[in-house]
Amino acid sequence: MLSTHAAGGRFRWGALPRRLRPRSSLASPPASGGGSGEPEKERPLLVERYRDGVTKRYMSDGSSKLQIRLEKHESPVKGVEDENADSLIPQAIRDFVLPAGFPGSVTVDYLEYMLLQFPTNVTGWICHVLVTSSLLKAVGVGSFTGTSAAASAAAIRWVSKDGIGAFGRLLIGGCFGTLFDDDPKKWRMYADFIGSAGSIFELATPLYPGYFLPLASLGNLAKAVARGFRDPSFRVIQNHFAQSGNLGEIAAKDTAGVKSSYLTLTATWLSIRLLHLWLRYQSLSVLKFRTINLKRGRILVRSHVAQHTVPDYVVCNEEENILTWEGFLHPKISFGVPIERMLGGEESSDKVNKLLKLYKNEKYVLFVEQFGSREPTFLVAFKEAATSMSVLRSLWQAHWLQKNQQNQDVVFSWLEDSILALEDGFTDFLEQMERAGWDQNQIILKVPKEPILMLEHLDQEV
């Protein structure tokens, strides 16, 4: 019987035993009906639920062949959100402009404040247009024609490029707003890279004055996107510093043109910008977060699986690579994949049954893709009740599988060995985490929003 807690003594690290337990539990279930000769009726296995209301239903037809049906329903909404959210705001817009988990994730005065902020920003924008037009007139734009047409046209061009930039910042906030809590160091560094690219477009405007609007717009768009990455990331960093609730003081005390030939200006800008990027990287490298995101979670489980130790938050942050994307980390893990991808084209309900039995006591399902000559990719799908701890357990299992690779003919026995190791090894991992000063309440590993696995056939004995 596979259970969440290990039975008996602690798992002994070292040489991998050939057989940890009998594997009769993974045998395909016998056909129902006994010796009556009657065919087994169609039997539901599981359902994958997607945010747009689509469900993918996996069925066994009674002859080990898998049937997959797509069904369309009304998009599911969590009960708490549905009760509290303003019904006048469509779900898509609410997801785009409001924080995830609204209204439960913010204070009660958040929505009223933001609704008042919108007209405030609009009136400020109008003032900006009027002042820009006046400034352009003051420096002589339109003085030779005797009219204000040139100044007005220049103001429109100027404000147009700012408008495109504002749209870029709104886009970043709506599409990527949930990323910054997870890895603020990376996104703060990327903000400077993107801002540098925007400055290059703006520096090119004197060379191509006829293309001022597209160049300035692209520059402002890039810089606005950079601000969209920079500001929320930096708020997370400031909040990290404010241990005694003094966020306002820390923000207030944060530290915030040379005219010459164009060639000198460009060379000066490039030199200072490179120095700026290097200093930014160094400043972010000294940050020591106590939260466990995906990168730091990988570092912790890799150390425990390989060396049976867990580093403290100082060592872990020093080892963390700020710029690395998740797709370049090893082992390769893909979260939130459909069961159909795990089947690899096989239409076998037996394989689905084996996976469900193997992970009966886990809140996720993990399988292997590209197992063989190339490095395997571990595919993870999450059940309805999955949490950040479920993601951390799947990370531990994937790293154990990477360290204890076996041949392709025994995939399920290899997976079962990993589950048995997880049952005991993960308990030791959590104990060492606590001794190293990590707080289990600070695990911010996000569960993918879709697909969500919902088991329909729960009477399978393991």
Side-chain angles (χ1 to χ4, degrees), residues 338-393:
I339 292 294
E340 192 172 3
R341 180 178 169 186
M342 296 185 182
L343 299 178
E346 294 183 33
E347 297 182 354
S348 171
S349 61
D350 289 344
K351 188 172 183 179
V352 177
N353 275 317
K354 287 183 178 181
L355 285 172
L356 295 180
K357 287 183 175 183
L358 185 60
Y359 293 97
K360 183 175 183 180
N361 296 311
E362 296 294 337
K363 296 178 182 178
Y364 67 90
V365 174
L366 183 150
F367 199 63
V368 189
E369 186 179 55
Q370 299 175 353
F371 186 66
S373 58
R374 292 179 294 173
E375 179 183 0
T377 298
F378 299 102
L379 310 177
V380 185
F382 291 95
K383 299 178 185 178
E384 193 173 18
T387 63
S388 292
M389 188 63 73
S390 310
V391 181
L392 190 60
R393 289 178 70 88

Side-chain angles (χ1 to χ4, degrees), residues 10 18 29 50 61 64 108 127 135 158 222 224 232 257 279 318 337 359 361 372 382 396 407 409 445 447 457:
R10 194 173 291 281
R18 187 169 185 81
Y50 294 80
D61 66 354
S64 298
V108 294
C127 292
L135 289 173
W158 191 273
L279 291 172
E318 290 174 350
V337 303
Y359 293 97
N361 296 311
F382 291 95
W396 196 98
N407 62 66
D409 297 331
L445 300 171
V447 179
H457 187 58

Side-chain angles (χ1 to χ4, degrees), residues 46-50 54-56 58 337-340 451-453:
L46 60 87
V47 167
E48 286 177 347
R49 189 178 66 194
Y50 294 80
V54 172
T55 58
K56 188 182 295 184
Y58 295 80
V337 303
I339 292 294
E340 192 172 3
I452 298 174
L453 301 185

